[in-house]
Amino acid sequence: MVQPIYVYGSQVLREVAAPVDLNDAEHIKSLVQDLKDTLAQAEGCGLAAPQIGVSERVVIVDGDVMADVYPYLKGFKRTLINPVILEESEKKCEYNEGCLSVPGIYADVLRPVSMKVAYYNENLEKVEEAFDKFGCRMVQHELSHLDGNLFVDNVAPIRKKMLTKKLLNIAHGKVSAHYNTKIK
């Protein structure tokens, strides 16, 4: 079911998400479906459970929406449950990011170019996978949500200062998005 997306200023976005109970398959199935439905409606490339008000360690990414720019992302869809970063490259790159929880704001963020993650997929199978290029960036961005971090926390200080008014407007409900948003 499509859920509202919590936006900047919502406490749930600043919490460290708890591991999801792997024994509760029905809850996981329902949460993953809500994430997929909400992401499809919002037309984004990734979504973390805290963004729909559930402080649990589950994220999804869907590279299909970026496949016109990055053809290698065609069919790149992942559900990561209780993910753990095993390795990150020392080499980093900068890319202009946006976020469904921070509508209308984009800023350059420096992140590792590759990483290795252990997680459970939606069939609750243990997976270890290496990510690179834009797939890595999508996964990193979503995993940050699980630790209460937003991409605007990682921008240059001068850029963040320039964004302060826009961020405060979002936090005070002055937000425009083509999807349903919520502040709590």
Side-chain angles (χ1 to χ4, degrees):
M1 179 184 335
V2 174
Q3 302 294 325
I5 295 178
Y6 285 71
V7 295
Y8 186 89
S10 297
Q11 182 58 38
V12 70
L13 297 177
R14 295 306 189 173
E15 297 171 2
V16 174
V20 69
D21 181 357
L22 296 175
N23 294 313
D24 193 349
E26 284 305 311
H27 168 70
I28 293 170
K29 182 179 178 181
S30 175
L31 177 56
V32 168
Q33 192 60 56
D34 286 353
L35 286 166
K36 287 180 178 182
D37 293 345
T38 304
L39 182 63
Q41 192 269 340
E43 300 173 346
C45 63
L47 196 63
Q51 291 180 273
I52 62 168
V54 180
S55 191
E56 294 181 348
R57 300 186 79 77
V58 179
V59 304
I60 63 169
V61 292
D62 182 350
D64 280 344
V65 298
M66 298 295 292
D68 56 332
V69 178
Y70 304 108
Y72 59 85
L73 290 176
K74 182 76 177 157
F76 180 83
K77 296 179 185 216
R78 299 289 187 280
T79 298
L80 292 84
I81 300 167
N82 293 343
V84 175
I85 298 171
L86 302 175
E87 298 172 17
E88 288 181 319
S89 67
E90 288 186 30
K91 184 178 179 184
K92 297 183 180 207
C93 68
E94 198 168 55
Y95 187 86
N96 195 260
E97 293 186 21
C99 181
L100 295 171
S101 289
V102 191
I105 294 180
Y106 300 88
D108 290 340
V109 178
L110 192 65
R111 295 193 191 267
V113 298
S114 64
M115 66 190 297
K116 187 176 189 179
V117 181
Y119 63 93
Y120 291 89
N121 63 22
E122 62 187 289
N123 298 318
L124 301 182
E125 300 163 328
K126 181 94 173 178
V127 176
E128 277 191 20
E129 185 172 5
F131 298 99
D132 64 3
K133 302 178 185 173
F134 198 78
C136 179
R137 178 156 304 261
M138 290 189 311
V139 171
Q140 288 172 341
H141 177 108
E142 298 311 323
L143 294 186
S144 292
H145 281 292
L146 302 181
D147 293 323
N149 297 315
L150 300 172
F151 83 98
V152 292
D153 299 332
N154 302 316
V155 301
I158 188 71
R159 179 69 175 134
K160 186 157 186 182
K161 187 167 182 68
M162 293 169 59
L163 294 173
T164 300
K165 185 175 180 183
K166 288 181 180 181
L167 292 170
L168 288 173
N169 282 339
I170 294 170
H172 290 106
K174 298 175 187 168
V175 61
S176 176
H178 69 275
Y179 45 88
N180 190 14
T181 62
K182 186 172 187 173
I183 298 175
K184 185 176 180 184

